[in-house]
Amino acid sequence: MAQIFPRWTNHVPTALALALPVAGLSLIFGVWYWFSPKFTDVGYAPEQPVPFSHALHAGQLGMDCRYCHNTVERAAHAAVPPSQTCMNCHATVRTDSAVLAPVRESAATDSAIPWVRVHMLPDYAYFDHSPHLAAGVGCATCHGRIDEMTIVQQAQPLSMSWCLDCHRNPTPNLRPRDQITNMGWDATTAQYDPHADPTRTRELAPPQNCSGCHR
Ligand code: HEC
Ligand code: HEC
Ligand code: HEC
Ligand code: HEC
Ligand code: HEC
């Protein structure tokens, strides 16, 4: 009988049997590794339901972050403002703008705009804005130049090693507390020495033990 397949093909099933699981595992590893947050979160900039621009409002118009994120110094979370806050201006500014229609409707019906979350830690990690701001860590240190972003984009990995890098040596990341929302504050030119700041009364001790952040 004529041989249809050359002899070496006898090994193909065995080779496949060995290679496929390896390929499968590599794929799983690859997906797990490269798509895990450390590698995908930086640069994450989802489309928002309303094209709200920080570059315009916080940059050009110079609005302070706390005008809108008004809970950030008191609470764990920095509240995203209700549409009423927008209407403080947009009841009179650009009242005919089509892109602002969802804002007007949301304010009129008292329903929230479905803003898409950009920064998000897993549930098992505990983070609270207020002690960071009280310690004099600026928004820009963790969020980058929001005042230059048309669409908010994640600037830092928010990974455990990122948190710990600062917790081990916070001093270079500290600024005077009245500068926390100043996007242009520059540590190298300001030459701020926290230890010489009379408003600081205690040595900071950011947690490095597991239970500090995994409660
Ligand atoms: C006029 C109101 C307003 C001002 C002022 C403002 N923001 Fe926002 N901010 C918003 C709204 C609305 C969103 C949600 C939509 C979006 O992500 O663009 C948001 C989203 C964000 C987010 C992303 C939240 C998430 O989902 O992870 C960050 C970070 C942020 N703002 C930081 C800042 C900083 C820092 C400043 C000051 C430089 C600032 N904002 C000033 C209204 C404002
Ligand atoms: C020490 C780092 C750090 C600083 C400083 C910081 N943030 Fe954040 N921010 C985060 C992290 C981490 C998250 C994600 C929190 C979560 O998922 O629980 C976040 C989330 C947010 C959000 C989304 C809503 C929320 O709270 O989950 C907004 C809005 C925001 N930050 C605004 C600000 C503003 C405005 C400032 C300055 C006044 C600021 N942040 C300072 C790290 C920081
Ligand atoms: C302090 C006043 C003020 C507040 C508060 C404010 N805005 Fe604005 N907004 C402006 C001004 C001024 C403009 C620019 C108008 C122009 O270009 O003529 C603008 C422009 C816009 C535009 C572009 C409109 C267009 O037709 O292109 C959007 C979208 C917008 N704002 C959304 C928001 C949202 C969402 C909020 C609330 C989170 C908000 N604004 C809060 C003053 C404000
Ligand atoms: C740029 C510096 C910096 C970064 C980044 C940072 N921290 Fe902190 N953290 C501090 C400082 C400073 C304190 C204040 C310590 C004090 O008051 O003694 C602090 C305090 C804390 C505390 C104790 C206060 C409390 O709420 O109980 C926790 C928990 C914490 N950080 C979690 C985190 C987590 C989680 C991350 C990463 C997502 C993070 N931090 C990123 C500087 C930082
Ligand atoms: C300063 C805050 C902080 C401290 C201290 C800390 N963690 Fe984490 N940890 C985090 C954050 C934030 C994440 C989430 C990281 C992410 O989403 O990429 C995390 C994630 C993890 C994960 C999930 C796997 C991973 O790497 O993403 C494990 C496991 C973990 N931590 C264990 C520990 C152990 C064990 C300790 C003590 C030796 C510890 N952590 C101390 C903040 C902290």
Side-chain angles (χ1 to χ4, degrees), residues 65 69 72 77-78 117 120-121 127 129 132 137-139 142-143:
C65 315
H69 303 291
V72 71
H77 287 285
R117 269 295 279 275
M120 180 96 94
L121 291 178
F127 178 82
H129 274 91
H132 291 90
V137 182
C139 316
C142 299
H143 294 299

Side-chain angles (χ1 to χ4, degrees), residues 32-164:
W32 171 72
Y33 190 74
W34 293 109
F35 289 75
S36 78
K38 211 171 290 174
F39 294 95
T40 53
D41 281 4
V42 171
Y44 178 57
E47 188 95 24
Q48 298 291 346
V50 176
F52 172 77
S53 165
H54 282 81
L56 173 66
H57 293 84
Q60 264 168 267
L61 299 176
M63 295 174 69
D64 190 272
C65 315
R66 290 163 293 193
Y67 180 92
C68 290
H69 303 291
N70 58 2
T71 63
V72 71
E73 285 178 286
R74 291 177 270 124
H77 287 285
V80 169
S83 301
Q84 290 306 341
T85 308
C86 314
M87 291 309 276
N88 290 350
C89 292
H90 288 294
T92 51
V93 176
R94 289 249 163 186
T95 50
D96 54 350
S97 167
V99 292
L100 282 163
V103 179
R104 291 190 293 265
E105 187 178 316
S106 146
T109 58
D110 218 1
S111 58
I113 296 174
W115 300 111
V116 182
R117 269 295 279 275
V118 185
H119 303 77
M120 180 96 94
L121 291 178
D123 285 344
Y124 56 78
Y126 173 83
F127 178 82
D128 184 333
H129 274 91
S130 58
H132 291 90
L133 298 172
V137 182
C139 316
T141 303
C142 299
H143 294 299
R145 290 300 297 263
I146 295 274
D147 64 323
E148 293 172 355
M149 297 180 194
T150 314
I151 297 177
V152 176
Q153 184 179 102
Q154 185 168 322
Q156 297 290 339
L158 310 190
S159 62
M160 180 158 119
S161 55
W162 175 76
C163 311
L164 280 166

Side-chain angles (χ1 to χ4, degrees), residues 124 126 207-215:
Y124 56 78
Y126 173 83
Q208 293 178 42
N209 58 318
C210 317
S211 59
C213 302
H214 303 292
R215 304 183 170 184

